Amino acid sequence: MPVTIKRHERVDVRVSYPHAPEKAGFLATINSGLLESGAPVSLAGFDVRYGGLRIPFADSLRELADAAQPQAPGEGKAQPTPPGQPDMEIGGATPDSVATAPSDAEAPVVEQPASVRHPDTHLIDELFDAEFYLSGFAADQRPSDPASHYLTEGWLQGRDPTPWFSSWHYLSMNPDIAAAKMNPFLHYCIAGHLEGRLLPKLGRQAEGDVFAAHSFAVSPGPHFEEFDPTIAVGRRKRAKVLAYYLPQFHTVEVNDESWGKGFTEWRNLPRALPRFTGHVQPRIPRDLGCYDLSEGDVMRRQIEMAKAAGIHGFCFYHYWFDGQRVLEKPMERLLADPSLDFPFCLMWANENWTRTWDGSDKEIILAQNYREEDDGAFIDDLARHMKDPRYVRVGDRPLFFIYRPGQIPDASTTVQKWRDLMRSRHGLNPVIMMAQGFGDLDPRKYGLDGAIEFPPHKICQNLPPINAQVQMLDSKYVGGIFSYDAAVDRSVSETSADFPLIRTITPTWDNEARRPGRGMVLHGSTPAKFEAWADQMLEFARRNPVHGEQFLCVNAWNEWLKARFLNPMCTTGPLT
């Protein structure tokens, strides 16, 4: 049976290697030096390898051709393999020319329709997690054949086939596979596990008791990475990414009076304990430690990290209570130092400050009374921030957020009064938006210019808890555990809005440190899932610009007590 073997043409061969699947598809690649003589080429004596292992094959190209079994289109055979994924190596380099065995005719090249499954899917099907893979796509963008998508393009996009296998890590740990441009999971399934190639377990795996779970939380875990200062270098920014910034980490008199001298949020961090298997608590800072935002160069180091990760600016929580500023030191230091060259904007955290950390009307430390006589001073205070050249603008308009506009008496009239004062006293016309939360989603009733998300608000509303699906370590736990995947699915299902909307993502949520044994947890997040969610929300931002600009927000940069932060921690490193 005469045949022509072309580069990247797929043929099925009989493999006598006992661990390789029968009739597995291989690429036949011939050393260019063998092509000059035109004589029949024998494989005997050559180093024939598949996935790095030596495999005995038929004795000659004619016998190889006899073993080939081309199929009609649609039967899953003879499909060209995507370039750059060599399955079999014979001798040296792969040529671009054609090798021809002595023959009177050439066998036709069989083309496969795009709808046919990738011929190697059967080699990964047993271990491939289709549900996990599809969770990284928007609902309207999920491939019909996830395994084929991964084999052809998903791995090149950095997608992972299972929660326990990292395509990027496997290639980084095996430079020979990376150099061969071979699909990492396919290699592992066929040869890597037989060769003893280890999967990246960069830290401890959680065990089944509270002590082991605690030890796991304070050690490098399986997703740990060092901070990469070049991660955003040379990459096009798809949107202006803002990150909520909490200025809590320094002492103030009102906290000393309420919680004891020297109190900062760091004091609450050790209260957190793992309440169920897989619950990562406590969350311990790594690179920056338990910093004090009122001194040193901490903010400068944070800005360097944020810039390196491609973040556009910080959105600072702004605390104003009837003319009294609180937790203002970090912002005042930023305003006073132009060398801290990083964009910023403000979100007014306009709820009561309480001992229960929930903005309620109970155990109030500082109350919001919205006194009319304070309006002028309030606007003047905002304006001095907005006049800073680093302040985030939409076009030429400063960007300002109100956390809970529904708590402002006669909000639409009050907001319009503030706009008039801002224009008459300072010549400013800010874009004023609200945070979506507490069931309050539509900014139009308040006369606002749009909304910004504040997850887990909205995306977790009415989600069923998964407490019964986890292994509890604390029989007295009364908190709520919710699926991170379900929250993300809820988020990506919203494909448009009736008003300008800035989407927001969060690496996770867990306020165990503030409410030990009775908090709320978003369970099951990983850096890869967070990245996939970000990718989908960036696409939303592209399709739905806000007043002509593309924005995305992250909740948050450094809110440690709710486990929503991008700062490096001991278990995972940075989440940027």
Side-chain angles (χ1 to χ4, degrees):
M1 173 179 168
V3 68
T4 297
I5 306 296
K6 297 182 179 180
R7 188 185 183 198
H8 302 312
E9 182 178 356
R10 177 174 295 281
V11 293
D12 285 336
V13 298
R14 296 191 180 103
V15 181
S16 57
Y17 181 59
H19 296 290
E22 184 178 1
K23 294 186 179 180
F26 295 96
L27 284 174
T29 58
I30 310 301
N31 189 311
S32 58
L34 300 175
L35 304 177
E36 298 174 356
S37 64
V41 179
S42 173
L43 299 181
F46 286 96
D47 190 22
V48 182
R49 292 181 177 271
Y50 178 65
L53 295 176
R54 194 176 193 285
I55 304 172
F57 277 84
D59 183 61
S60 71
L61 280 181
R62 187 174 297 279
E63 292 176 19
L64 176 64
D66 290 340
Q69 300 180 19
Q71 302 290 325
E75 295 185 12
K77 302 295 183 180
Q79 179 176 348
T81 295
Q85 299 181 42
D87 293 307
M88 185 181 80
E89 299 174 355
I90 304 178
T94 302
D96 288 320
S97 52
V98 176
T100 305
S103 61
D104 298 320
E106 290 187 357
V109 176
V110 180
E111 296 283 337
Q112 284 284 73
S115 60
V116 175
R117 295 199 81 194
H118 191 287
D120 288 337
T121 53
H122 67 288
L123 299 176
I124 69 169
D125 274 342
E126 183 177 354
L127 298 178
F128 185 81
D129 188 333
E131 182 178 356
F132 168 82
Y133 189 74
L134 291 175
S135 69
F137 293 84
D140 60 346
Q141 297 178 352
R142 293 176 177 173
S144 58
D145 185 348
S148 292
H149 184 276
Y150 173 76
L151 287 170
T152 55
E153 56 186 291
W155 71 281
L156 295 169
Q157 298 168 356
R159 300 183 183 272
D160 295 329
T162 74
W164 49 265
F165 185 93
S166 167
S167 301
W168 182 87
H169 276 109
Y170 192 79
L171 292 174
S172 67
M173 295 173 64
N174 298 282
D176 56 327
I177 305 305
K181 298 181 180 179
M182 185 174 185
N183 185 291
F185 192 57
L186 179 63
H187 178 271
Y188 177 78
C189 290
I190 294 176
H193 69 290
L194 297 172
E195 297 171 351
R197 302 203 188 211
L198 300 177
L199 296 181
K201 294 183 178 180
L202 305 180
R204 306 174 57 143
Q205 301 294 313
E207 303 293 343
D209 64 73
V210 67
F211 302 105
H214 183 279
S215 179
F216 169 80
V218 299
S219 306
H223 300 291
F224 179 83
E225 294 180 354
E226 294 285 355
F227 177 70
D228 180 2
T230 67
I231 190 170
V233 173
R235 300 180 66 177
R236 178 182 62 86
K237 291 185 178 180
R238 297 164 61 186
K240 290 181 177 179
V241 178
L242 305 176
Y244 294 139
Y245 190 100
L246 181 69
Q248 273 273 19
F249 301 104
H250 65 286
T251 59
V252 294
E253 183 177 352
V254 66
N255 273 338
D256 284 352
E257 294 172 353
S258 302
W259 304 102
K261 191 170 180 61
F263 175 86
T264 72
E265 285 271 42
W266 296 125
R267 186 178 294 178
N268 285 328
L269 211 59
R271 302 197 307 167
L273 290 172
R275 306 291 171 171
F276 54 90
T277 299
H279 188 202
V280 181
Q281 285 290 0
R283 309 259 177 163
I284 305 299
R286 187 176 182 268
D287 297 29
L288 299 175
C290 296
Y291 45 76
D292 184 338
L293 289 175
S294 67
E295 59 185 32
D297 264 353
V298 175
M299 188 175 294
R300 190 178 306 278
R301 294 174 63 193
Q302 290 182 329
I303 287 172
E304 291 171 355
M305 282 185 163
K307 283 183 175 180
I311 293 174
H312 176 73
F314 291 145
C315 178
F316 281 78
Y317 298 146
H318 186 73
Y319 297 93
W320 166 283
F321 298 89
D322 299 339
Q324 179 182 358
R325 288 281 308 281
V326 183
L327 298 174
E328 75 284 359
K329 289 182 181 178
M331 175 52 67
E332 294 303 318
R333 296 190 73 201
L334 177 64
L335 291 174
D337 188 351
S339 71
L340 297 173
D341 185 18
F342 198 59
F344 69 92
C345 59
L346 301 178
M347 173 179 280
W348 181 26
N350 66 312
E351 62 180 5
N352 294 331
W353 201 347
T354 70
R355 292 183 63 87
T356 53
W357 310 100
D358 59 3
S360 69
D361 296 327
K362 299 177 181 179
E363 300 188 63
I364 295 176
I365 298 173
L366 290 173
Q368 291 284 4
N369 295 308
Y370 305 101
R371 302 182 311 194
E372 287 189 34
E373 59 265 34
D374 294 325
D375 285 350
F378 175 58
I379 293 303
D380 291 345
D381 181 62
L382 293 180
R384 71 187 184 92
H385 295 80
M386 295 177 181
K387 291 177 180 179
D388 189 288
R390 295 165 293 181
Y391 197 90
V392 176
R393 284 169 169 75
V394 182
D396 62 350
R397 302 174 64 188
L399 182 60
F400 177 62
F401 302 100
I402 300 175
Y403 182 50
R404 302 188 69 174
Q407 293 197 350
I408 301 172
D410 193 8
S412 59
T413 300
T414 302
V415 168
Q416 184 57 51
K417 178 183 178 182
W418 291 344
R419 289 188 189 275
D420 294 340
L421 287 171
M422 190 70 76
R423 186 178 293 107
S424 63
R425 295 166 77 115
H426 302 284
L428 296 172
N429 179 27
V431 172
I432 307 178
M433 305 179 76
M434 64 172 280
Q436 292 183 317
F438 306 96
D440 197 3
L441 307 179
D442 193 335
R444 293 172 292 188
K445 60 184 176 182
Y446 303 118
L448 298 173
D449 300 310
I452 189 170
E453 292 181 321
F454 205 90
H457 287 292
K458 188 174 81 168
I459 65 171
C460 289
Q461 186 174 356
N462 300 324
L463 282 183
I466 60 169
N467 293 46
Q469 301 176 30
V470 303
Q471 180 183 350
M472 300 304 302
L473 301 175
D474 178 6
S475 61
K476 298 180 180 180
Y477 180 74
V478 294
I481 308 169
F482 300 88
S483 166
Y484 184 82
D485 292 340
V488 172
D489 283 345
R490 175 79 62 80
S491 169
V492 300
S493 68
E494 183 175 357
T495 58
S496 62
D498 296 329
F499 44 79
L501 176 64
I502 297 177
R503 305 304 301 272
T504 303
I505 58 177
T506 185
T508 188
W509 165 281
D510 183 355
N511 61 350
E512 159 70 18
R514 280 189 172 177
R515 298 186 175 187
R518 54 190 178 91
M520 171 187 167
V521 181
L522 274 181
H523 180 54
S525 67
T526 66
K529 291 180 181 180
F530 177 61
E531 180 182 9
W533 187 11
D535 184 66
Q536 293 172 74
M537 293 300 96
L538 285 166
E539 177 59 22
F540 181 97
R542 184 189 68 80
R543 298 195 309 263
N544 301 274
V546 172
H547 299 285
E549 302 238 21
Q550 297 171 0
F551 284 99
L552 176 66
C553 190
V554 180
N555 192 8
W557 173 255
N558 64 334
E559 197 152 2
W560 286 90
L561 277 293
K562 296 177 183 175
R564 51 189 192 192
F565 51 82
L566 300 178
N567 288 187
M569 76 168 183
C570 290
T571 313
T572 60
L575 287 175
T576 51

